[in-house]
mmCIF file with all atom_site columns, all heavy atoms in Angstrom:
data_model
loop_
_atom_site.group_PDB
_atom_site.id
_atom_site.type_symbol
_atom_site.label_atom_id
_atom_site.label_alt_id
_atom_site.label_comp_id
_atom_site.label_asym_id
_atom_site.label_entity_id
_atom_site.label_seq_id
_atom_site.pdbx_PDB_ins_code
_atom_site.Cartn_x
_atom_site.Cartn_y
_atom_site.Cartn_z
_atom_site.occupancy
_atom_site.B_iso_or_equiv
_atom_site.pdbx_formal_charge
_atom_site.auth_seq_id
_atom_site.auth_comp_id
_atom_site.auth_asym_id
_atom_site.auth_atom_id
_atom_site.pdbx_PDB_model_num
ATOM 1  N N   . ARG X 1 28  ? 14.850  17.768 22.248 1.00 93.00 ? 28  ARG X N   1
ATOM 2  C CA  . ARG X 1 28  ? 14.722  19.189 21.887 1.00 93.00 ? 28  ARG X CA  1
ATOM 3  C C   . ARG X 1 28  ? 13.754  19.449 20.738 1.00 93.00 ? 28  ARG X C   1
ATOM 4  O O   . ARG X 1 28  ? 13.657  20.557 20.249 1.00 93.00 ? 28  ARG X O   1
ATOM 5  C CB  . ARG X 1 28  ? 16.116  19.744 21.547 1.00 93.00 ? 28  ARG X CB  1
ATOM 6  C CG  . ARG X 1 28  ? 16.990  19.886 22.764 1.00 93.00 ? 28  ARG X CG  1
ATOM 7  C CD  . ARG X 1 28  ? 18.433  20.110 22.384 1.00 93.00 ? 28  ARG X CD  1
ATOM 8  N NE  . ARG X 1 28  ? 18.973  18.952 21.678 1.00 93.00 ? 28  ARG X NE  1
ATOM 9  C CZ  . ARG X 1 28  ? 20.250  18.847 21.278 1.00 93.00 ? 28  ARG X CZ  1
ATOM 10 N NH1 . ARG X 1 28  ? 21.095  19.822 21.520 1.00 93.00 ? 28  ARG X NH1 1
ATOM 11 N NH2 . ARG X 1 28  ? 20.661  17.772 20.649 1.00 93.00 ? 28  ARG X NH2 1
ATOM 12 N N   . TYR X 1 29  ? 13.052  18.401 20.270 1.00 94.00 ? 29  TYR X N   1
ATOM 13 C CA  . TYR X 1 29  ? 12.098  18.612 19.175 1.00 94.00 ? 29  TYR X CA  1
ATOM 14 C C   . TYR X 1 29  ? 11.042  19.632 19.623 1.00 94.00 ? 29  TYR X C   1
ATOM 15 O O   . TYR X 1 29  ? 10.515  19.537 20.727 1.00 94.00 ? 29  TYR X O   1
ATOM 16 C CB  . TYR X 1 29  ? 11.430  17.287 18.802 1.00 94.00 ? 29  TYR X CB  1
ATOM 17 C CG  . TYR X 1 29  ? 10.638  17.398 17.516 1.00 94.00 ? 29  TYR X CG  1
ATOM 18 C CD1 . TYR X 1 29  ? 11.289  17.425 16.296 1.00 94.00 ? 29  TYR X CD1 1
ATOM 19 C CD2 . TYR X 1 29  ? 9.262   17.521 17.538 1.00 94.00 ? 29  TYR X CD2 1
ATOM 20 C CE1 . TYR X 1 29  ? 10.579  17.553 15.117 1.00 94.00 ? 29  TYR X CE1 1
ATOM 21 C CE2 . TYR X 1 29  ? 8.534   17.650 16.365 1.00 94.00 ? 29  TYR X CE2 1
ATOM 22 C CZ  . TYR X 1 29  ? 9.205   17.666 15.153 1.00 94.00 ? 29  TYR X CZ  1
ATOM 23 O OH  . TYR X 1 29  ? 8.499   17.808 13.990 1.00 94.00 ? 29  TYR X OH  1
ATOM 24 N N   . LEU X 1 69  ? -5.154  8.042  10.378 1.00 97.00 ? 69  LEU X N   1
ATOM 25 C CA  . LEU X 1 69  ? -6.269  8.986  10.507 1.00 97.00 ? 69  LEU X CA  1
ATOM 26 C C   . LEU X 1 69  ? -7.599  8.229  10.541 1.00 97.00 ? 69  LEU X C   1
ATOM 27 O O   . LEU X 1 69  ? -7.805  7.293  9.762  1.00 97.00 ? 69  LEU X O   1
ATOM 28 C CB  . LEU X 1 69  ? -6.271  9.980  9.354  1.00 97.00 ? 69  LEU X CB  1
ATOM 29 C CG  . LEU X 1 69  ? -4.951  10.732 9.100  1.00 97.00 ? 69  LEU X CG  1
ATOM 30 C CD1 . LEU X 1 69  ? -5.148  11.823 8.055  1.00 97.00 ? 69  LEU X CD1 1
ATOM 31 C CD2 . LEU X 1 69  ? -4.404  11.335 10.383 1.00 97.00 ? 69  LEU X CD2 1
ATOM 32 N N   . THR X 1 93  ? -8.757  19.376 11.043 1.00 97.00 ? 93  THR X N   1
ATOM 33 C CA  . THR X 1 93  ? -9.986  20.065 10.621 1.00 97.00 ? 93  THR X CA  1
ATOM 34 C C   . THR X 1 93  ? -9.873  20.622 9.213  1.00 97.00 ? 93  THR X C   1
ATOM 35 O O   . THR X 1 93  ? -10.882 20.871 8.557  1.00 97.00 ? 93  THR X O   1
ATOM 36 C CB  . THR X 1 93  ? -10.288 21.232 11.569 1.00 97.00 ? 93  THR X CB  1
ATOM 37 O OG1 . THR X 1 93  ? -9.140  22.093 11.586 1.00 97.00 ? 93  THR X OG1 1
ATOM 38 C CG2 . THR X 1 93  ? -10.554 20.724 12.985 1.00 97.00 ? 93  THR X CG2 1
ATOM 39 N N   . GLY X 1 96  ? -5.014  21.386 2.946  1.00 94.00 ? 96  GLY X N   1
ATOM 40 C CA  . GLY X 1 96  ? -4.801  22.357 1.882  1.00 94.00 ? 96  GLY X CA  1
ATOM 41 C C   . GLY X 1 96  ? -5.525  23.638 2.265  1.00 94.00 ? 96  GLY X C   1
ATOM 42 O O   . GLY X 1 96  ? -5.381  24.134 3.381  1.00 94.00 ? 96  GLY X O   1
ATOM 43 N N   . GLY X 1 123 ? -18.224 -5.289 3.724  1.00 72.00 ? 123 GLY X N   1
ATOM 44 C CA  . GLY X 1 123 ? -17.748 -6.473 3.000  1.00 72.00 ? 123 GLY X CA  1
ATOM 45 C C   . GLY X 1 123 ? -16.450 -6.977 3.588  1.00 72.00 ? 123 GLY X C   1
ATOM 46 O O   . GLY X 1 123 ? -15.568 -7.423 2.884  1.00 72.00 ? 123 GLY X O   1
ATOM 47 N N   . ARG H 1 28  ? -10.939 -0.446 1.077  1.00 93.00 ? 28  ARG H N   1
ATOM 48 C CA  . ARG H 1 28  ? -12.240 -0.021 1.587  1.00 93.00 ? 28  ARG H CA  1
ATOM 49 C C   . ARG H 1 28  ? -12.154 0.857  2.831  1.00 93.00 ? 28  ARG H C   1
ATOM 50 O O   . ARG H 1 28  ? -13.158 1.169  3.440  1.00 93.00 ? 28  ARG H O   1
ATOM 51 C CB  . ARG H 1 28  ? -13.095 -1.266 1.875  1.00 93.00 ? 28  ARG H CB  1
ATOM 52 C CG  . ARG H 1 28  ? -13.524 -1.965 0.596  1.00 93.00 ? 28  ARG H CG  1
ATOM 53 C CD  . ARG H 1 28  ? -14.100 -3.326 0.896  1.00 93.00 ? 28  ARG H CD  1
ATOM 54 N NE  . ARG H 1 28  ? -13.074 -4.209 1.430  1.00 93.00 ? 28  ARG H NE  1
ATOM 55 C CZ  . ARG H 1 28  ? -13.273 -5.494 1.716  1.00 93.00 ? 28  ARG H CZ  1
ATOM 56 N NH1 . ARG H 1 28  ? -14.458 -6.036 1.528  1.00 93.00 ? 28  ARG H NH1 1
ATOM 57 N NH2 . ARG H 1 28  ? -12.296 -6.238 2.204  1.00 93.00 ? 28  ARG H NH2 1
ATOM 58 N N   . TYR H 1 29  ? -10.930 1.229  3.227  1.00 94.00 ? 29  TYR H N   1
ATOM 59 C CA  . TYR H 1 29  ? -10.807 2.090  4.402  1.00 94.00 ? 29  TYR H CA  1
ATOM 60 C C   . TYR H 1 29  ? -11.554 3.404  4.152  1.00 94.00 ? 29  TYR H C   1
ATOM 61 O O   . TYR H 1 29  ? -11.418 3.997  3.082  1.00 94.00 ? 29  TYR H O   1
ATOM 62 C CB  . TYR H 1 29  ? -9.341  2.370  4.707  1.00 94.00 ? 29  TYR H CB  1
ATOM 63 C CG  . TYR H 1 29  ? -9.148  3.022  6.051  1.00 94.00 ? 29  TYR H CG  1
ATOM 64 C CD1 . TYR H 1 29  ? -9.237  2.275  7.220  1.00 94.00 ? 29  TYR H CD1 1
ATOM 65 C CD2 . TYR H 1 29  ? -8.925  4.388  6.163  1.00 94.00 ? 29  TYR H CD2 1
ATOM 66 C CE1 . TYR H 1 29  ? -9.098  2.872  8.465  1.00 94.00 ? 29  TYR H CE1 1
ATOM 67 C CE2 . TYR H 1 29  ? -8.779  4.996  7.396  1.00 94.00 ? 29  TYR H CE2 1
ATOM 68 C CZ  . TYR H 1 29  ? -8.865  4.229  8.547  1.00 94.00 ? 29  TYR H CZ  1
ATOM 69 O OH  . TYR H 1 29  ? -8.736  4.832  9.779  1.00 94.00 ? 29  TYR H OH  1
ATOM 70 N N   . LEU H 1 69  ? 4.460   15.220 13.423 1.00 97.00 ? 69  LEU H N   1
ATOM 71 C CA  . LEU H 1 69  ? 3.832   16.541 13.473 1.00 97.00 ? 69  LEU H CA  1
ATOM 72 C C   . LEU H 1 69  ? 4.892   17.640 13.474 1.00 97.00 ? 69  LEU H C   1
ATOM 73 O O   . LEU H 1 69  ? 5.908   17.524 14.156 1.00 97.00 ? 69  LEU H O   1
ATOM 74 C CB  . LEU H 1 69  ? 2.954   16.668 14.724 1.00 97.00 ? 69  LEU H CB  1
ATOM 75 C CG  . LEU H 1 69  ? 1.919   15.561 14.940 1.00 97.00 ? 69  LEU H CG  1
ATOM 76 C CD1 . LEU H 1 69  ? 0.994   15.925 16.103 1.00 97.00 ? 69  LEU H CD1 1
ATOM 77 C CD2 . LEU H 1 69  ? 1.098   15.308 13.694 1.00 97.00 ? 69  LEU H CD2 1
ATOM 78 N N   . VAL H 1 89  ? -1.157  20.194 2.646  1.00 95.00 ? 89  VAL H N   1
ATOM 79 C CA  . VAL H 1 89  ? -0.922  19.655 3.985  1.00 95.00 ? 89  VAL H CA  1
ATOM 80 C C   . VAL H 1 89  ? -2.216  19.572 4.790  1.00 95.00 ? 89  VAL H C   1
ATOM 81 O O   . VAL H 1 89  ? -3.148  20.355 4.615  1.00 95.00 ? 89  VAL H O   1
ATOM 82 C CB  . VAL H 1 89  ? 0.131   20.456 4.809  1.00 95.00 ? 89  VAL H CB  1
ATOM 83 C CG1 . VAL H 1 89  ? 1.486   20.377 4.147  1.00 95.00 ? 89  VAL H CG1 1
ATOM 84 C CG2 . VAL H 1 89  ? -0.308  21.885 5.024  1.00 95.00 ? 89  VAL H CG2 1
ATOM 85 N N   . THR H 1 93  ? -5.610  21.571 14.173 1.00 97.00 ? 93  THR H N   1
ATOM 86 C CA  . THR H 1 93  ? -5.925  22.877 14.760 1.00 97.00 ? 93  THR H CA  1
ATOM 87 C C   . THR H 1 93  ? -6.387  22.766 16.198 1.00 97.00 ? 93  THR H C   1
ATOM 88 O O   . THR H 1 93  ? -6.331  23.730 16.948 1.00 97.00 ? 93  THR H O   1
ATOM 89 C CB  . THR H 1 93  ? -7.046  23.556 13.950 1.00 97.00 ? 93  THR H CB  1
ATOM 90 O OG1 . THR H 1 93  ? -8.174  22.662 13.933 1.00 97.00 ? 93  THR H OG1 1
ATOM 91 C CG2 . THR H 1 93  ? -6.599  23.816 12.520 1.00 97.00 ? 93  THR H CG2 1
ATOM 92 N N   . GLY H 1 123 ? 21.149  23.873 19.680 1.00 72.00 ? 123 GLY H N   1
ATOM 93 C CA  . GLY H 1 123 ? 22.216  23.050 20.256 1.00 72.00 ? 123 GLY H CA  1
ATOM 94 C C   . GLY H 1 123 ? 22.335  21.740 19.523 1.00 72.00 ? 123 GLY H C   1
ATOM 95 O O   . GLY H 1 123 ? 22.595  20.698 20.106 1.00 72.00 ? 123 GLY H O   1
#
Side-chain angles (χ1 to χ4, degrees):
Chain X
R28 289 166 296 183
Y29 191 76
L69 307 188
T93 56
Chain H
R28 290 168 294 184
Y29 191 76
L69 307 188
V89 296
T93 57

